[in-house]
Amino acid sequence: MLEAHLGPAQHHEHLTIFPILVEEDRSLPHVLLQDALNSGDLSIKEKGSGTVPLLKAKNKSPHPILILDGEQLIGAKQNRITSRSIVLPPMSTTEIPVSCMEQGRWNFNSREFSPASHHAPSKVRRHARRVEASAPQASYQDLASAQGAVWDEIRSFGSKLGGSSPTEALDAVFDHHQDDLQQWIEAFPALNLQVGILAFSGAEPLGLDALGAPALYASMHRRLLTGYVLDALESRASAGARPSQEAGLAFVNRGQEARRDPAEPLGSGEYRVLKETVLGGELVEGDALLHLSAFPLEAHEGRNGNGGAGAPVYPISRPSLRRRRF
């Protein structure tokens, strides 16, 4: 897995980011979705004449391609977001689960999809994880049932932040706040040996993302931040409320203590559903973590009826004990 620790908090207004750091560099052979699309090694198209919850992804390269949940795909009949983290094996074609993020369009504006420069907010991404956590045996085909909640969340972002388009595209909300995004992102520079982030809005956790290698994370740093920045812009929490390092570690502990259930296989690697103390997904190959995402429970979702606040919090006495297994 991944031995890592939380670095010192970074702040801008009411958004706090705890960098997730490793002590030694490591590498993985995987290529990221946006790089594979830009190079032409990956093509993503509508399935047949088009179906909202599934797309066809063709890996034309000899390398595995890593797709993270919440990646935005622009074009074809309507813009989508990926609903689950997946590895596309070399020289393979795989159906990938997605959600629509552009409700008012169903006509081609391109034959293939291209990557966006930003990641979906955690408040949009968590709906797919909630569907998985509520299923007795998680299937990627069940993720289609998150669509209504995803649309509602996107409408809420457009209503609160402005930038709504005639097709209600989430991409338009990002474009409307491009200057804000750039200003906020500059406050959170990537660090050496960083593999992830834990984000808070005010004193409330938004979510955690960790990848298995610093080089992979470095390519995703800005994109992942854009989603959490949009979360923070929408929430407008008090700038005076900031989480302590212990609060950050407490959320990490919840992720460690989460129940992990295997999900229906898709692509290569093993995907596990995190539930009971957080909502999340964990993609691994062998003993290597590829991607971990975790989001806080809402009050009605917690095992203890309190959003998982009853999960154990480990004591912190020495810096060496700050390392955690992700």
Side-chain angles (χ1 to χ4, degrees):
M1 296 298 287
L2 186 68
E3 293 286 351
H5 63 278
L6 293 185
Q10 302 168 327
H11 305 284
H12 182 75
E13 295 193 19
H14 56 281
L15 180 62
T16 295
I17 297 293
F18 292 99
I20 301 172
L21 308 170
V22 292
E23 295 184 2
E24 296 181 357
D25 200 1
R26 64 196 68 200
S27 62
L28 289 168
H30 301 74
V31 178
L32 294 167
L33 174 142
Q34 69 267 15
D35 297 328
L37 283 173
N38 288 334
S39 70
D41 286 338
L42 172 64
S43 68
I44 300 180
K45 299 180 180 180
E46 298 287 357
K47 179 186 174 184
S49 60
T51 176
V52 171
L54 291 171
L55 298 175
K56 186 171 71 173
K58 184 175 182 179
N59 181 359
K60 298 175 279 186
S61 80
H63 307 289
I65 295 173
L66 175 60
I67 298 176
L68 309 188
D69 77 89
E71 301 216 54
Q72 298 193 68
L73 298 167
I74 307 299
K77 283 193 168 182
Q78 60 182 198
N79 299 347
R80 313 290 219 289
I81 54 172
T82 54
S83 298
R84 191 181 123 172
S85 295
I86 307 163
V87 172
L88 306 179
M91 309 303 293
S92 66
T93 299
T94 308
E95 290 185 1
I96 61 172
V98 293
S99 292
C100 167
M101 61 174 190
E102 187 181 18
Q103 188 173 4
R105 178 172 70 91
W106 189 245
N107 59 276
F108 281 106
N109 65 14
S110 66
R111 302 309 300 180
E112 298 189 14
F113 287 91
S114 59
S117 60
H118 32 254
H119 213 76
S122 68
K123 294 178 183 178
V124 173
R125 295 168 61 196
R126 73 183 312 278
H127 293 296
R129 306 286 72 77
R130 184 175 62 186
V131 167
E132 287 180 331
S134 63
Q137 175 63 49
S139 167
Y140 68 90
Q141 299 187 56
D142 294 335
L143 294 170
S145 64
Q147 184 63 75
V150 168
W151 276 334
D152 289 345
E153 203 72 65
I154 291 172
R155 279 193 293 269
S156 177
F157 272 94
S159 175
K160 292 179 180 179
L161 295 178
S164 294
S165 69
T167 61
E168 297 188 69
L170 180 61
D171 192 52
V173 180
F174 276 103
D175 288 344
H176 185 69
H177 287 276
Q178 193 59 48
D179 291 343
D180 290 330
L181 289 169
Q182 185 59 35
Q183 180 184 0
W184 284 54
I185 287 168
E186 288 174 357
F188 304 106
L191 304 181
N192 186 40
L193 298 181
Q194 185 169 353
V195 293
I197 52 178
L198 168 59
F200 280 72
S201 178
E204 298 300 317
L206 290 170
L208 177 154
D209 280 281
L211 280 76
L216 286 178
Y217 175 77
S219 294
M220 288 298 302
H221 177 73
R222 187 189 186 283
R223 292 170 183 268
L224 288 169
L225 272 175
T226 56
Y228 289 116
V229 169
L230 204 68
D231 280 317
L233 289 171
E234 187 266 349
S235 68
R236 291 296 181 188
S238 169
R242 288 181 172 178
S244 64
Q245 198 83 4
E246 286 73 17
L249 287 167
F251 185 82
V252 171
N253 291 341
R254 293 182 203 174
Q256 291 179 303
E257 294 298 309
R259 175 176 160 184
R260 283 161 163 79
D261 288 352
E264 179 183 10
L266 179 64
S268 61
E270 180 183 358
Y271 180 79
R272 304 162 184 161
V273 177
L274 277 59
K275 58 176 68 175
E276 294 189 351
T277 57
V278 295
L279 294 176
E282 180 180 72
L283 180 61
V284 301
E285 280 191 324
D287 62 354
L289 173 73
L290 300 182
H291 181 225
L292 170 69
S293 63
F295 308 105
L297 295 168
E298 295 179 351
H300 64 283
E301 296 168 332
R303 178 178 59 188
N304 306 308
N306 58 3
V313 176
Y314 300 146
I316 304 165
S317 57
R318 300 190 305 274
S320 62
L321 294 183
R322 293 175 182 267
R323 285 196 210 85
R324 294 292 183 261
R325 184 181 293 275
F326 286 81

